[in-house]
Amino acid sequence: QVQLQESGPGLVKPSETLSLTCTVSGGSISDYYWSWIRQPPGKGLEWVAYIYSSGSTNYNPSLKSRVAMSVDTSNNQFSLNLRSVTAADTAVYYCARRHSSTWYFDHWGQGTLVTVSS
Amino acid sequence: DIQMTQSPSTLSASVGDRVTITCRASQSISSWLAWYQQKPGKAPKLLIYKASSLESGVPSRFSGSGSGTEFTLTISSPQPDDFATYYCQQYNSYPWTFGQGTKVEIK
């Protein structure tokens, strides 16, 4: 069974860069699409970005100017960088795997809370 | 972006009551809709995809219906473990968007 685990700092200062990594175990990262989805405290879910195992990416237009994803297939990991963060970026960040053929998410990490504060 | 609107925002029900949650899309999404269940402090869990297809391992008391712009999630006889927040998600058009959630509470 595929498992995903997020890692990274839980506290980031305003204007700095939020960096998270998702490690995939129990299966290969190859041939799948991998996403980041975030949830501000007490609020709903927002899709942030995806990357294919080949490295092709797509980002939510609302965040496109600040976000970048990368993939490390040798270590079965993918990463998120979000630049110039503000308090509005405070959220639980989930990594997730897209279903093999279409765009719903059938495997999720447990999530990691990132707080933006000085 | 396609806006997804769920109703109600909160719902109180007793164990065994029938529960229905509605999700409306701002434009037609055909049947490209998924439903998730989320419990406090946990990741969402996929329940239903393509509007009415039950994910493997999900109890048959969960069902989904609808197409176009209006969809429903029904729990035929909720059990204590089903009291949670439910989200719909459209995957017809990029960027993929979610409803704001419906919290199902025990009456």
Side-chain angles (χ1 to χ4, degrees), chain B residues 4-61:
Chain B
M4 305 301 292
T5 304
Q6 290 181 232
S7 59
S9 297
T10 306
L11 184 160
S12 295
S14 300
V15 172
D17 282 351
R18 184 181 184 87
V19 166
T20 300
I21 299 168
T22 297
C23 177
R24 289 185 174 87
S26 60
Q27 63 190 74
S28 178
I29 59 169
S30 185
S31 295
W32 304 119
L33 184 97
W35 288 98
Y36 301 87
Q37 176 193 68
Q38 187 178 36
K39 296 180 180 177
K42 300 294 186 182
K45 173 189 171 185
L46 177 68
L47 298 177
I48 286 171
Y49 59 93
K50 208 175 178 185
S52 60
S53 296
L54 200 65
E55 173 71 349
S56 176
V58 174
S60 59
R61 61 181 179 271

Side-chain angles (χ1 to χ4, degrees), chain A:
Chain A
Q1 174 73 323
V2 172
Q3 293 186 316
L4 294 82
Q5 178 68 58
E6 304 89 350
S7 59
L11 181 64
V12 180
K13 289 182 169 53
S15 81
E16 295 190 346
T17 297
L18 179 161
S19 296
L20 296 173
T21 296
C22 183
T23 301
V24 179
S25 59
S28 174
I29 203 168
S30 298
D31 302 325
Y32 281 95
Y33 287 85
W34 305 90
S35 273
W36 289 97
I37 296 164
R38 69 181 184 177
Q39 184 172 37
K43 297 188 178 180
L45 298 157
E46 179 183 33
W47 171 76
V48 174
Y50 77 68
I51 191 165
Y52 187 58
S53 53
S54 65
S56 63
T57 57
N58 207 345
Y59 306 132
N60 192 317
S62 67
L63 299 167
K64 195 169 188 173
S65 63
R66 300 193 290 129
V67 69
M69 285 187 69
S70 60
V71 64
D72 178 355
T73 53
S74 61
N75 286 309
N76 247 26
Q77 295 179 327
F78 61 98
S79 298
L80 173 73
N81 279 348
L82 181 64
R83 298 182 294 276
S84 304
V85 297
T86 70
D89 296 310
T90 294
V92 175
Y93 285 76
Y94 295 99
C95 56
R97 193 189 79 174
R98 189 198 88 155
H99 181 267
S100 57
S101 61
T102 189
W103 281 104
Y104 57 85
F105 303 99
D106 58 3
H107 290 81
W108 296 65
Q110 65 185 29
T112 187
L113 174 63
V114 179
T115 302
V116 178
S117 175
S118 55

